[in-house]
Amino acid sequence: MSTALLHVDKLYCERDDRILFEDLSFAINAGEVIQVEGQNGSGKTTLLRILSGLSNHYEGDIFWKGSLLSTVQDDFRRELLYFGHHPGVKAVLTPEENLHWYAAMHPSIDGKKIAMALEQVGLRGFEDSPCHTLSAGQNRRVSLARLYLTSAKLWILDEPFTAIDKKGVAQKEQLILDHAANGGSVILTTHHELAISEKVRRFNLDELAGT
Amino acid sequence: MGRIVTNESANSEASSVLSLFGAVLKRDLMLAYRKKSDLFNPLIFFLMVATLFPLGVSPEPDFLAQIAPGVVWVAALLATLLSMESVFKSDFEDGTLEQTLLSPQPLFVIVLAKVLAHWMMSGLPLTLLAPLLAVMLFLPAEGMSGLMLSLLIGTPTLSLVGAIGAALTVGLRKGGVLISLLVLPLYIPVLIFGTSAVQAAVTGLPLAGFFALLGAILALGLVLAPLAISAALRISVSG
């Protein structure tokens, strides 16, 4: 039996005396796309932050390729791309400078293809404009351009499609499918109806919530 | 053979750490350069505080010369403190701090580069500006070298220790006051040795001892503070 890429065992998390989820166990294998569903405040973002290693307010175990996550943090981070609630874009830097910084921070991001990635996300011609002059959607596109540059195996995407236009969403969905086809895994949350939903495994946090 | 390979990998590791350090430093300096208010606020504060003393206490040259070392040092300390809150704040707010913490690169190096960038924009200009204030406060010329050198060795420690407070409070909405409470007590040794160095310089006493102490504190800070800052950032972001 091959070990799952990421394996979560009996995860329990509470916030302000409210149980967000308990006894949550699941595994993500290579090539899988998982959509976490749930209403606002059901703990989707909290779950993604726990899985990415940002938050440690939980009980239970998370395994990365069979070893406990806390013992293989560095290996895990090398193969992780996290797109958070905040896009992680510096307003006074240009899209190009932002992505160069990402490339310096994350060796999995290829700094040589930045021009290509910016063109893919439709930001050609905006390379040298500071990001605060761009729209909200364009700012998120800057951060999403990382998807074209990364060699990370696991993508954790928190609401990646917010403020992105229809064409952009379709493009990103295709990108996610391609990534899965190449043996990568994706965990995402979104309120969009995914056009690729038949290839996506879903689970709903509302059904798992404690009473 | 094996040794050569290790040497090479050690070399490439060292160069990758250096390029990471350079990239973070360059980015933070660029950010400061584009947001100049952060750059000038502490400097203007520094100048203002020092000009208020002759107005508020006494314009008597003899008296001012006596309090000059303390006034310049306290003003530099408060100006540094004032600039501290912004070190991690904007990174926290736009999510780049999260991305920094998720980087597989050594956080120690990243944090050290950020603190160095902060010092280059606060402590260093303060040091360069200090002679101007010293002249305004009638500090005897013999004290000038002592003042500059003590600020040069002392202000990096202020940045390092202040960054611990900034990292601990970055997740709070109003962290500014808390930083002062956390950090000011830790600034006191630097203040004591810094002003003592200037006073010794004015009276012609040997300075080496004070500089050695300031240097020792700085060395300790360079090694330990980044560890504390890293841990504090992880706690703040996790919360």
Side-chain angles (χ1 to χ4, degrees):
Chain A
M1 193 192 93
S2 69
T3 45
L5 204 55
L6 194 71
H7 178 208
V8 174
D9 192 34
K10 294 206 169 78
L11 206 62
Y12 167 89
C13 175
E14 65 170 39
R15 187 146 214 164
D16 304 327
D17 295 332
R18 196 165 59 90
I19 296 171
L20 288 176
F21 35 82
E22 60 182 336
D23 224 5
L24 179 64
S25 302
F26 62 94
I28 303 155
N29 296 306
E32 265 191 311
V33 181
I34 291 192
Q35 183 184 1
V36 181
E37 292 181 317
Q39 48 186 308
N40 296 127
S42 59
K44 301 188 292 294
T45 295
T46 308
L47 176 63
L48 295 199
R49 285 175 62 88
I50 288 172
L51 293 180
S52 68
L54 278 174
S55 168
N56 50 13
H57 294 292
Y58 66 90
E59 287 166 33
D61 296 312
I62 303 174
F63 299 92
W64 170 250
K65 292 182 175 169
S67 353
L68 208 58
L69 183 59
S70 50
T71 62
V72 288
Q73 286 274 7
D74 276 357
D75 291 330
F76 173 67
R77 287 190 192 129
R78 239 177 274 283
E79 306 213 43
L80 169 74
L81 183 139
Y82 175 76
F83 178 89
H85 186 67
H86 301 288
V89 172
K90 272 271 165 238
V92 292
L93 297 183
T94 67
E96 210 173 352
E97 287 163 348
N98 268 302
L99 290 174
H100 274 298
W101 175 76
Y102 272 109
M105 280 292 173
H106 296 264
S108 61
I109 287 176
D110 184 356
K112 293 186 195 81
K113 295 194 291 188
I114 286 175
M116 180 281 288
L118 284 174
E119 179 159 3
Q120 291 281 347
V121 294
L123 286 172
R124 200 186 173 159
F126 295 99
E127 294 94 339
D128 298 324
S129 329
C131 285
H132 63 81
T133 62
L134 305 180
S135 75
Q138 283 175 318
N139 267 302
R140 296 182 76 83
R141 280 162 180 264
V142 173
S143 191
L144 284 171
R146 288 183 290 149
L147 300 183
Y148 290 96
L149 300 170
T150 183
S151 59
K153 249 203 142 95
L154 176 67
W155 295 359
I156 296 185
L157 312 173
D158 190 1
E159 298 287 351
F161 305 136
T162 308
I164 304 285
D165 57 37
K166 274 188 189 147
K167 190 170 148 243
V169 172
Q171 251 179 4
K172 301 300 169 303
E173 286 182 353
Q174 190 53 48
L175 202 60
I176 286 170
L177 284 187
D178 291 347
H179 178 62
N182 288 328
S185 305
V186 182
I187 309 172
L188 79 158
T189 64
T190 179
H191 294 291
H192 276 260
E193 280 302 322
L194 288 179
I196 53 171
S197 52
E198 72 278 7
K199 295 187 175 115
V200 174
R201 191 151 66 94
R202 303 177 195 214
F203 68 83
N204 196 317
L205 281 182
D206 298 334
E207 291 156 17
L208 293 158
T211 42
Chain B
M1 186 67 197
R3 206 169 141 199
I4 297 166
V5 173
T6 354
N7 263 344
E8 262 176 18
S9 74
N11 271 344
S12 81
E13 203 158 288
S15 77
S16 88
V17 163
L18 269 183
S19 73
L20 171 71
F21 190 85
V24 177
L25 185 66
K26 192 177 142 210
R27 166 190 181 258
D28 273 33
L29 291 178
M30 200 145 70
L31 287 174
Y33 177 73
R34 299 215 179 137
K35 239 174 97 186
K36 295 198 181 59
S37 66
D38 282 1
L39 195 61
F40 288 116
N41 270 349
L43 291 181
I44 292 170
F45 178 84
F46 184 51
L47 276 174
M48 299 252 285
V49 168
T51 46
L52 290 179
F53 273 85
L55 296 173
V57 188
S58 154
E60 213 49 52
D62 284 347
F63 175 74
L64 285 176
Q66 222 172 21
I67 60 163
V71 169
V72 176
W73 251 99
V74 169
L77 188 148
L78 293 177
T80 309
L81 200 60
L82 185 75
S83 66
M84 230 50 246
E85 200 186 350
S86 62
V87 188
F88 301 111
K89 198 82 190 172
S90 79
D91 281 7
F92 179 78
E93 278 164 0
D94 60 24
T96 46
L97 188 59
E98 281 178 354
Q99 298 291 347
T100 307
L101 296 184
L102 289 175
S103 160
Q105 308 272 28
L107 193 53
F108 188 98
V109 178
I110 299 171
V111 161
L112 203 57
K114 283 188 84 72
V115 175
L116 178 64
H118 175 265
W119 176 75
M120 286 170 77
M121 294 169 312
S122 61
L124 188 60
L126 290 178
T127 306
L128 296 175
L129 216 60
L132 179 67
L133 296 193
V135 170
M136 277 161 55
L137 296 171
F138 300 102
L139 183 77
E142 304 84 61
M144 217 59 96
S145 59
L147 179 69
M148 295 272 288
L149 263 174
S150 66
L151 281 172
L152 196 67
I153 315 174
T155 46
T157 312
L158 301 184
S159 289
L160 282 164
V161 173
I164 302 176
L168 278 171
T169 55
V170 71
L172 309 174
R173 207 146 296 153
K174 289 228 167 88
V177 187
L178 208 54
I179 295 184
S180 317
L181 285 176
L182 284 170
V183 161
L184 266 182
L186 300 172
Y187 277 0
I188 290 172
V190 183
L191 177 71
I192 292 174
F193 294 124
T195 48
S196 309
V198 187
Q199 262 146 9
V202 172
T203 45
L205 293 170
L207 295 173
F210 298 112
F211 289 144
L213 278 166
L214 283 174
I217 297 175
L218 174 59
L220 207 63
L222 274 175
V223 179
L224 296 180
L227 296 175
I229 298 166
S230 307
L233 285 177
R234 288 207 190 280
I235 294 169
S236 287
V237 168
S238 171

